[in-house]
mmCIF file of all heavy atoms in Angstrom:
data_model
loop_
_atom_site.group_PDB
_atom_site.id
_atom_site.type_symbol
_atom_site.label_atom_id
_atom_site.label_comp_id
_atom_site.label_asym_id
_atom_site.label_seq_id
_atom_site.Cartn_x
_atom_site.Cartn_y
_atom_site.Cartn_z
ATOM 1 N N ARG A 4 -3.320 5.845 12.005
ATOM 2 C CA ARG A 4 -4.482 6.588 12.526
ATOM 3 C C ARG A 4 -4.078 7.752 13.428
ATOM 4 O O ARG A 4 -4.704 8.798 13.399
ATOM 5 C CB ARG A 4 -5.385 5.655 13.342
ATOM 6 C CG ARG A 4 -6.224 4.696 12.553
ATOM 7 C CD ARG A 4 -7.262 3.989 13.432
ATOM 8 N NE ARG A 4 -6.720 3.430 14.667
ATOM 9 C CZ ARG A 4 -6.212 2.203 14.795
ATOM 10 N NH1 ARG A 4 -6.191 1.388 13.764
ATOM 11 N NH2 ARG A 4 -5.745 1.783 15.949
ATOM 12 N N GLU A 5 -3.033 7.567 14.224
ATOM 13 C CA GLU A 5 -2.756 8.499 15.313
ATOM 14 C C GLU A 5 -1.606 9.474 15.072
ATOM 15 O O GLU A 5 -1.537 10.506 15.731
ATOM 16 C CB GLU A 5 -2.476 7.706 16.603
ATOM 17 C CG GLU A 5 -3.674 6.888 17.045
ATOM 18 C CD GLU A 5 -3.389 6.011 18.252
ATOM 19 O OE1 GLU A 5 -2.247 6.033 18.783
ATOM 20 O OE2 GLU A 5 -4.314 5.282 18.673
ATOM 21 N N LYS A 6 -0.698 9.160 14.179
ATOM 22 C CA LYS A 6 0.475 10.017 13.960
ATOM 23 C C LYS A 6 0.288 10.869 12.721
ATOM 24 O O LYS A 6 -0.348 10.468 11.759
ATOM 25 C CB LYS A 6 1.741 9.166 13.813
ATOM 26 C CG LYS A 6 2.054 8.286 15.008
ATOM 27 C CD LYS A 6 2.588 9.094 16.156
ATOM 28 C CE LYS A 6 3.043 8.176 17.278
ATOM 29 N NZ LYS A 6 3.672 8.898 18.358
ATOM 30 N N LYS A 7 0.895 12.050 12.744
ATOM 31 C CA LYS A 7 0.832 12.954 11.592
ATOM 32 C C LYS A 7 2.105 12.776 10.773
ATOM 33 O O LYS A 7 3.188 13.204 11.165
ATOM 34 C CB LYS A 7 0.684 14.400 12.068
ATOM 35 C CG LYS A 7 0.476 15.397 10.935
ATOM 36 C CD LYS A 7 0.187 16.775 11.500
ATOM 37 C CE LYS A 7 0.018 17.892 10.551
ATOM 38 N NZ LYS A 7 -0.090 17.738 9.180
ATOM 39 N N PHE A 8 1.952 12.101 9.641
ATOM 40 C CA PHE A 8 3.061 11.903 8.714
ATOM 41 C C PHE A 8 2.488 11.580 7.348
ATOM 42 O O PHE A 8 1.286 11.387 7.194
ATOM 43 C CB PHE A 8 4.011 10.797 9.203
ATOM 44 C CG PHE A 8 3.462 9.396 9.130
ATOM 45 C CD1 PHE A 8 3.949 8.502 8.200
ATOM 46 C CD2 PHE A 8 2.483 8.951 10.012
ATOM 47 C CE1 PHE A 8 3.459 7.205 8.129
ATOM 48 C CE2 PHE A 8 1.991 7.664 9.967
ATOM 49 C CZ PHE A 8 2.479 6.782 9.013
ATOM 50 N N ARG A 9 3.344 11.588 6.340
ATOM 51 C CA ARG A 9 2.921 11.311 4.966
ATOM 52 C C ARG A 9 3.434 9.928 4.568
ATOM 53 O O ARG A 9 4.577 9.775 4.172
ATOM 54 C CB ARG A 9 3.427 12.409 4.041
ATOM 55 C CG ARG A 9 2.709 13.739 4.333
ATOM 56 C CD ARG A 9 3.356 14.912 3.676
ATOM 57 N NE ARG A 9 4.567 15.269 4.408
ATOM 58 C CZ ARG A 9 5.512 16.081 3.949
ATOM 59 N NH1 ARG A 9 5.399 16.626 2.758
ATOM 60 N NH2 ARG A 9 6.564 16.355 4.680
ATOM 61 N N PRO A 10 2.575 8.918 4.710
ATOM 62 C CA PRO A 10 3.020 7.537 4.486
ATOM 63 C C PRO A 10 3.065 7.118 3.019
ATOM 64 O O PRO A 10 2.181 7.434 2.225
ATOM 65 C CB PRO A 10 1.982 6.707 5.238
ATOM 66 C CG PRO A 10 0.765 7.567 5.277
ATOM 67 C CD PRO A 10 1.233 8.994 5.257
ATOM 68 N N ILE A 11 4.123 6.391 2.705
ATOM 69 C CA ILE A 11 4.272 5.735 1.418
ATOM 70 C C ILE A 11 4.393 4.242 1.729
ATOM 71 O O ILE A 11 5.265 3.830 2.495
ATOM 72 C CB ILE A 11 5.535 6.219 0.677
ATOM 73 C CG1 ILE A 11 5.469 7.725 0.415
ATOM 74 C CG2 ILE A 11 5.734 5.435 -0.616
ATOM 75 C CD1 ILE A 11 6.763 8.310 -0.126
ATOM 76 N N ALA A 12 3.522 3.437 1.141
ATOM 77 C CA ALA A 12 3.533 1.995 1.377
ATOM 78 C C ALA A 12 4.421 1.293 0.355
ATOM 79 O O ALA A 12 4.340 1.563 -0.833
ATOM 80 C CB ALA A 12 2.121 1.437 1.292
ATOM 81 N N MET A 13 5.268 0.391 0.854
ATOM 82 C CA MET A 13 6.059 -0.464 -0.028
ATOM 83 C C MET A 13 5.893 -1.906 0.444
ATOM 84 O O MET A 13 5.292 -2.157 1.492
ATOM 85 C CB MET A 13 7.526 -0.049 -0.047
ATOM 86 C CG MET A 13 8.275 -0.296 1.224
ATOM 87 S SD MET A 13 10.008 0.175 1.019
ATOM 88 C CE MET A 13 10.664 -0.397 2.570
ATOM 89 N N SER A 14 6.391 -2.844 -0.321
ATOM 90 C CA SER A 14 6.243 -4.284 -0.020
ATOM 91 C C SER A 14 4.794 -4.657 0.228
ATOM 92 O O SER A 14 4.487 -5.491 1.069
ATOM 93 C CB SER A 14 7.121 -4.694 1.169
ATOM 94 O OG SER A 14 8.475 -4.623 0.831
ATOM 95 N N VAL A 15 3.904 -4.028 -0.523
ATOM 96 C CA VAL A 15 2.474 -4.273 -0.331
ATOM 97 C C VAL A 15 2.090 -5.696 -0.715
ATOM 98 O O VAL A 15 1.120 -6.244 -0.184
ATOM 99 C CB VAL A 15 1.604 -3.240 -1.085
ATOM 100 C CG1 VAL A 15 1.855 -1.838 -0.551
ATOM 101 C CG2 VAL A 15 1.838 -3.296 -2.580
ATOM 102 N N PHE A 16 2.850 -6.330 -1.610
ATOM 103 C CA PHE A 16 2.572 -7.708 -2.015
ATOM 104 C C PHE A 16 3.320 -8.721 -1.153
ATOM 105 O O PHE A 16 3.211 -9.925 -1.377
ATOM 106 C CB PHE A 16 2.945 -7.920 -3.488
ATOM 107 C CG PHE A 16 2.244 -6.983 -4.435
ATOM 108 C CD1 PHE A 16 2.969 -6.142 -5.257
ATOM 109 C CD2 PHE A 16 0.862 -6.941 -4.502
ATOM 110 C CE1 PHE A 16 2.328 -5.274 -6.139
ATOM 111 C CE2 PHE A 16 0.209 -6.075 -5.380
ATOM 112 C CZ PHE A 16 0.949 -5.243 -6.195
ATOM 113 N N ALA A 17 4.096 -8.239 -0.171
ATOM 114 C CA ALA A 17 4.869 -9.099 0.735
ATOM 115 C C ALA A 17 5.726 -10.094 -0.065
ATOM 116 O O ALA A 17 5.702 -11.294 0.181
ATOM 117 C CB ALA A 17 3.946 -9.815 1.722
ATOM 118 N N SER A 18 6.468 -9.564 -1.025
ATOM 119 C CA SER A 18 7.338 -10.372 -1.899
ATOM 120 C C SER A 18 6.598 -11.528 -2.555
ATOM 121 O O SER A 18 7.117 -12.630 -2.683
ATOM 122 C CB SER A 18 8.555 -10.875 -1.121
ATOM 123 O OG SER A 18 9.438 -9.814 -0.877
ATOM 124 N N GLY A 19 5.358 -11.290 -2.953
ATOM 125 C CA GLY A 19 4.578 -12.288 -3.668
ATOM 126 C C GLY A 19 3.745 -13.202 -2.789
ATOM 127 O O GLY A 19 3.054 -14.080 -3.287
ATOM 128 N N ALA A 20 3.771 -13.012 -1.481
ATOM 129 C CA ALA A 20 3.006 -13.867 -0.572
ATOM 130 C C ALA A 20 1.509 -13.555 -0.589
ATOM 131 O O ALA A 20 0.705 -14.367 -0.154
ATOM 132 C CB ALA A 20 3.549 -13.743 0.854
ATOM 133 N N ILE A 21 1.151 -12.359 -1.079
ATOM 134 C CA ILE A 21 -0.257 -11.950 -1.119
ATOM 135 C C ILE A 21 -0.625 -11.687 -2.580
ATOM 136 O O ILE A 21 0.109 -11.005 -3.300
ATOM 137 C CB ILE A 21 -0.497 -10.657 -0.295
ATOM 138 C CG1 ILE A 21 0.104 -10.765 1.104
ATOM 139 C CG2 ILE A 21 -1.996 -10.353 -0.207
ATOM 140 C CD1 ILE A 21 0.107 -9.442 1.862
ATOM 141 N N ALA A 22 -1.763 -12.216 -2.998
ATOM 142 C CA ALA A 22 -2.235 -11.987 -4.368
ATOM 143 C C ALA A 22 -2.458 -10.493 -4.591
ATOM 144 O O ALA A 22 -2.866 -9.780 -3.662
ATOM 145 C CB ALA A 22 -3.535 -12.760 -4.607
ATOM 146 N N PRO A 23 -2.199 -9.992 -5.795
ATOM 147 C CA PRO A 23 -2.286 -8.552 -6.049
ATOM 148 C C PRO A 23 -3.593 -7.890 -5.616
ATOM 149 O O PRO A 23 -3.570 -6.879 -4.914
ATOM 150 C CB PRO A 23 -2.076 -8.445 -7.555
ATOM 151 C CG PRO A 23 -1.203 -9.619 -7.875
ATOM 152 C CD PRO A 23 -1.690 -10.715 -6.967
ATOM 153 N N ARG A 24 -4.733 -8.429 -6.012
ATOM 154 C CA ARG A 24 -6.006 -7.784 -5.653
ATOM 155 C C ARG A 24 -6.176 -7.750 -4.134
ATOM 156 O O ARG A 24 -6.523 -6.727 -3.570
ATOM 157 C CB ARG A 24 -7.201 -8.468 -6.309
ATOM 158 C CG ARG A 24 -8.531 -7.856 -5.821
ATOM 159 C CD ARG A 24 -9.724 -8.324 -6.604
ATOM 160 N NE ARG A 24 -9.890 -7.666 -7.871
ATOM 161 C CZ ARG A 24 -10.367 -6.422 -8.030
ATOM 162 N NH1 ARG A 24 -10.693 -5.707 -6.996
ATOM 163 N NH2 ARG A 24 -10.510 -5.911 -9.223
ATOM 164 N N GLU A 25 -5.926 -8.867 -3.469
ATOM 165 C CA GLU A 25 -6.065 -8.932 -2.010
ATOM 166 C C GLU A 25 -5.121 -7.940 -1.332
ATOM 167 O O GLU A 25 -5.510 -7.229 -0.409
ATOM 168 C CB GLU A 25 -5.779 -10.358 -1.545
ATOM 169 C CG GLU A 25 -5.882 -10.561 -0.049
ATOM 170 C CD GLU A 25 -5.517 -11.971 0.381
ATOM 171 O OE1 GLU A 25 -5.177 -12.817 -0.466
ATOM 172 O OE2 GLU A 25 -5.562 -12.209 1.600
ATOM 173 N N ALA A 26 -3.885 -7.887 -1.802
ATOM 174 C CA ALA A 26 -2.890 -6.976 -1.221
ATOM 175 C C ALA A 26 -3.321 -5.524 -1.380
ATOM 176 O O ALA A 26 -3.257 -4.732 -0.431
ATOM 177 C CB ALA A 26 -1.536 -7.200 -1.889
ATOM 178 N N LEU A 27 -3.763 -5.181 -2.576
ATOM 179 C CA LEU A 27 -4.132 -3.788 -2.847
ATOM 180 C C LEU A 27 -5.459 -3.404 -2.194
ATOM 181 O O LEU A 27 -5.633 -2.250 -1.798
ATOM 182 C CB LEU A 27 -4.149 -3.535 -4.349
ATOM 183 C CG LEU A 27 -2.761 -3.610 -5.004
ATOM 184 C CD1 LEU A 27 -2.874 -3.559 -6.513
ATOM 185 C CD2 LEU A 27 -1.845 -2.518 -4.469
ATOM 186 N N GLU A 28 -6.378 -4.350 -2.052
ATOM 187 C CA GLU A 28 -7.619 -4.054 -1.324
ATOM 188 C C GLU A 28 -7.296 -3.631 0.111
ATOM 189 O O GLU A 28 -7.853 -2.671 0.625
ATOM 190 C CB GLU A 28 -8.558 -5.267 -1.316
ATOM 191 C CG GLU A 28 -9.281 -5.464 -2.622
ATOM 192 C CD GLU A 28 -10.096 -6.752 -2.684
ATOM 193 O OE1 GLU A 28 -9.946 -7.628 -1.799
ATOM 194 O OE2 GLU A 28 -10.881 -6.880 -3.643
ATOM 195 N N TYR A 29 -6.363 -4.347 0.741
ATOM 196 C CA TYR A 29 -5.976 -4.000 2.113
ATOM 197 C C TYR A 29 -5.311 -2.619 2.164
ATOM 198 O O TYR A 29 -5.733 -1.744 2.916
ATOM 199 C CB TYR A 29 -5.031 -5.051 2.705
ATOM 200 C CG TYR A 29 -4.461 -4.607 4.018
ATOM 201 C CD1 TYR A 29 -5.249 -4.596 5.173
ATOM 202 C CD2 TYR A 29 -3.161 -4.134 4.116
ATOM 203 C CE1 TYR A 29 -4.751 -4.142 6.383
ATOM 204 C CE2 TYR A 29 -2.645 -3.688 5.321
ATOM 205 C CZ TYR A 29 -3.446 -3.687 6.444
ATOM 206 O OH TYR A 29 -2.944 -3.220 7.637
ATOM 207 N N VAL A 30 -4.285 -2.423 1.358
ATOM 208 C CA VAL A 30 -3.530 -1.162 1.408
ATOM 209 C C VAL A 30 -4.421 0.025 1.036
ATOM 210 O O VAL A 30 -4.367 1.075 1.666
ATOM 211 C CB VAL A 30 -2.271 -1.238 0.520
ATOM 212 C CG1 VAL A 30 -1.578 0.108 0.422
ATOM 213 C CG2 VAL A 30 -1.308 -2.268 1.073
ATOM 214 N N CYS A 31 -5.255 -0.150 0.029
ATOM 215 C CA CYS A 31 -6.135 0.946 -0.387
ATOM 216 C C CYS A 31 -7.225 1.233 0.639
ATOM 217 O O CYS A 31 -7.802 2.320 0.639
ATOM 218 C CB CYS A 31 -6.733 0.656 -1.762
ATOM 219 S SG CYS A 31 -5.513 0.759 -3.102
ATOM 220 N N SER A 32 -7.502 0.288 1.525
ATOM 221 C CA SER A 32 -8.485 0.536 2.585
ATOM 222 C C SER A 32 -7.924 1.452 3.672
ATOM 223 O O SER A 32 -8.677 2.007 4.464
ATOM 224 C CB SER A 32 -8.954 -0.782 3.208
ATOM 225 O OG SER A 32 -7.963 -1.320 4.079
ATOM 226 N N LEU A 33 -6.616 1.606 3.703
ATOM 227 C CA LEU A 33 -5.954 2.471 4.685
ATOM 228 C C LEU A 33 -5.897 3.879 4.092
ATOM 229 O O LEU A 33 -4.973 4.227 3.366
ATOM 230 C CB LEU A 33 -4.555 1.931 4.997
ATOM 231 C CG LEU A 33 -4.511 0.494 5.518
ATOM 232 C CD1 LEU A 33 -3.075 -0.013 5.559
ATOM 233 C CD2 LEU A 33 -5.170 0.394 6.886
ATOM 234 N N LYS A 34 -6.889 4.669 4.388
ATOM 235 C CA LYS A 34 -7.072 5.968 3.726
ATOM 236 C C LYS A 34 -5.921 6.946 3.966
ATOM 237 O O LYS A 34 -5.732 7.888 3.205
ATOM 238 C CB LYS A 34 -8.396 6.605 4.181
ATOM 239 C CG LYS A 34 -9.617 5.765 3.840
ATOM 240 C CD LYS A 34 -9.690 5.454 2.357
ATOM 241 C CE LYS A 34 -10.881 4.592 2.025
ATOM 242 N NZ LYS A 34 -10.780 3.937 0.744
ATOM 243 N N GLU A 35 -5.134 6.727 5.014
ATOM 244 C CA GLU A 35 -4.031 7.649 5.315
ATOM 245 C C GLU A 35 -2.862 7.503 4.338
ATOM 246 O O GLU A 35 -2.042 8.413 4.218
ATOM 247 C CB GLU A 35 -3.512 7.400 6.747
ATOM 248 C CG GLU A 35 -4.542 7.600 7.829
ATOM 249 C CD GLU A 35 -5.412 6.365 8.093
ATOM 250 O OE1 GLU A 35 -5.225 5.316 7.448
ATOM 251 O OE2 GLU A 35 -6.301 6.464 8.946
ATOM 252 N N ILE A 36 -2.762 6.382 3.659
ATOM 253 C CA ILE A 36 -1.640 6.144 2.754
ATOM 254 C C ILE A 36 -1.754 7.057 1.537
ATOM 255 O O ILE A 36 -2.772 7.085 0.861
ATOM 256 C CB ILE A 36 -1.570 4.665 2.347
ATOM 257 C CG1 ILE A 36 -1.215 3.843 3.585
ATOM 258 C CG2 ILE A 36 -0.565 4.452 1.221
ATOM 259 C CD1 ILE A 36 -1.127 2.377 3.367
ATOM 260 N N GLU A 37 -0.690 7.805 1.290
ATOM 261 C CA GLU A 37 -0.685 8.780 0.197
ATOM 262 C C GLU A 37 -0.137 8.216 -1.102
ATOM 263 O O GLU A 37 -0.513 8.665 -2.174
ATOM 264 C CB GLU A 37 0.131 10.007 0.611
ATOM 265 C CG GLU A 37 -0.498 10.761 1.773
ATOM 266 C CD GLU A 37 0.190 12.080 2.070
ATOM 267 O OE1 GLU A 37 1.164 12.437 1.374
ATOM 268 O OE2 GLU A 37 -0.263 12.756 3.000
ATOM 269 N N SER A 38 0.777 7.246 -1.002
ATOM 270 C CA SER A 38 1.423 6.698 -2.193
ATOM 271 C C SER A 38 1.741 5.227 -1.971
ATOM 272 O O SER A 38 1.891 4.785 -0.839
ATOM 273 C CB SER A 38 2.735 7.433 -2.492
ATOM 274 O OG SER A 38 2.518 8.799 -2.697
ATOM 275 N N ILE A 39 1.870 4.514 -3.080
ATOM 276 C CA ILE A 39 2.225 3.104 -3.033
ATOM 277 C C ILE A 39 3.384 2.880 -3.986
ATOM 278 O O ILE A 39 3.325 3.276 -5.152
ATOM 279 C CB ILE A 39 1.031 2.214 -3.448
ATOM 280 C CG1 ILE A 39 -0.152 2.419 -2.504
ATOM 281 C CG2 ILE A 39 1.446 0.745 -3.483
ATOM 282 C CD1 ILE A 39 -1.438 1.756 -2.964
ATOM 283 N N VAL A 40 4.433 2.234 -3.498
ATOM 284 C CA VAL A 40 5.568 1.849 -4.322
ATOM 285 C C VAL A 40 5.415 0.358 -4.606
ATOM 286 O O VAL A 40 5.175 -0.420 -3.685
ATOM 287 C CB VAL A 40 6.901 2.102 -3.576
ATOM 288 C CG1 VAL A 40 8.078 1.583 -4.371
ATOM 289 C CG2 VAL A 40 7.073 3.568 -3.255
ATOM 290 N N PHE A 41 5.536 -0.034 -5.867
ATOM 291 C CA PHE A 41 5.431 -1.457 -6.188
ATOM 292 C C PHE A 41 6.396 -1.809 -7.306
ATOM 293 O O PHE A 41 6.778 -0.963 -8.105
ATOM 294 C CB PHE A 41 3.991 -1.837 -6.581
ATOM 295 C CG PHE A 41 3.478 -1.159 -7.813
ATOM 296 C CD1 PHE A 41 3.668 -1.744 -9.066
ATOM 297 C CD2 PHE A 41 2.810 0.053 -7.736
ATOM 298 C CE1 PHE A 41 3.191 -1.114 -10.213
ATOM 299 C CE2 PHE A 41 2.328 0.686 -8.877
ATOM 300 C CZ PHE A 41 2.520 0.101 -10.118
ATOM 301 N N GLY A 42 6.769 -3.059 -7.335
ATOM 302 C CA GLY A 42 7.624 -3.553 -8.397
ATOM 303 C C GLY A 42 6.789 -4.249 -9.453
ATOM 304 O O GLY A 42 5.734 -4.806 -9.153
ATOM 305 N N ALA A 43 7.252 -4.211 -10.682
ATOM 306 C CA ALA A 43 6.555 -4.877 -11.776
ATOM 307 C C ALA A 43 7.583 -5.290 -12.821
ATOM 308 O O ALA A 43 8.590 -4.607 -13.013
ATOM 309 C CB ALA A 43 5.517 -3.944 -12.390
ATOM 310 N N SER A 44 7.304 -6.390 -13.491
ATOM 311 C CA SER A 44 8.267 -6.902 -14.456
ATOM 312 C C SER A 44 7.976 -6.509 -15.899
ATOM 313 O O SER A 44 8.835 -6.645 -16.763
ATOM 314 C CB SER A 44 8.349 -8.427 -14.345
ATOM 315 O OG SER A 44 7.068 -8.995 -14.542
ATOM 316 N N THR A 45 6.755 -6.029 -16.153
ATOM 317 C CA THR A 45 6.427 -5.632 -17.522
ATOM 318 C C THR A 45 5.583 -4.360 -17.511
ATOM 319 O O THR A 45 4.991 -3.990 -16.495
ATOM 320 C CB THR A 45 5.608 -6.721 -18.257
ATOM 321 O OG1 THR A 45 4.324 -6.829 -17.633
ATOM 322 C CG2 THR A 45 6.306 -8.069 -18.257
ATOM 323 N N ARG A 46 5.517 -3.733 -18.659
ATOM 324 C CA ARG A 46 4.672 -2.550 -18.826
ATOM 325 C C ARG A 46 3.210 -2.889 -18.511
ATOM 326 O O ARG A 46 2.500 -2.114 -17.885
ATOM 327 C CB ARG A 46 4.821 -2.025 -20.262
ATOM 328 C CG ARG A 46 4.015 -0.810 -20.571
ATOM 329 C CD ARG A 46 4.246 -0.384 -22.045
ATOM 330 N NE ARG A 46 3.769 0.938 -22.265
ATOM 331 C CZ ARG A 46 4.496 2.051 -22.119
ATOM 332 N NH1 ARG A 46 5.749 1.971 -21.749
ATOM 333 N NH2 ARG A 46 3.961 3.232 -22.335
#
């Protein structure tokens, strides 16, 4: 909220500790985040 920077979120799923929808609902609610890095095992 307070700093001027271009944030990229990673570890949004907390290594599998958070279900995908719940994890992404939280991260996507943070309007300042410009990009999200995530891992996936299949197309």
Side-chain angles (χ1 to χ4, degrees):
R4 285 190 311 271
E5 297 175 1
K6 301 286 187 175
K7 186 174 177 10
F8 71 109
R9 292 168 284 166
I11 300 171
M13 69 177 186
S14 292
V15 297
F16 303 121
S18 288
I21 310 170
R24 175 170 281 284
E25 180 183 0
L27 293 171
E28 283 173 348
Y29 171 74
V30 173
C31 289
S32 76
L33 303 170
K34 299 304 179 198
E35 300 85 1
I36 293 179
E37 295 188 0
S38 301
I39 299 171
V40 175
F41 63 90
S44 57
T45 67
R46 180 180 195 90

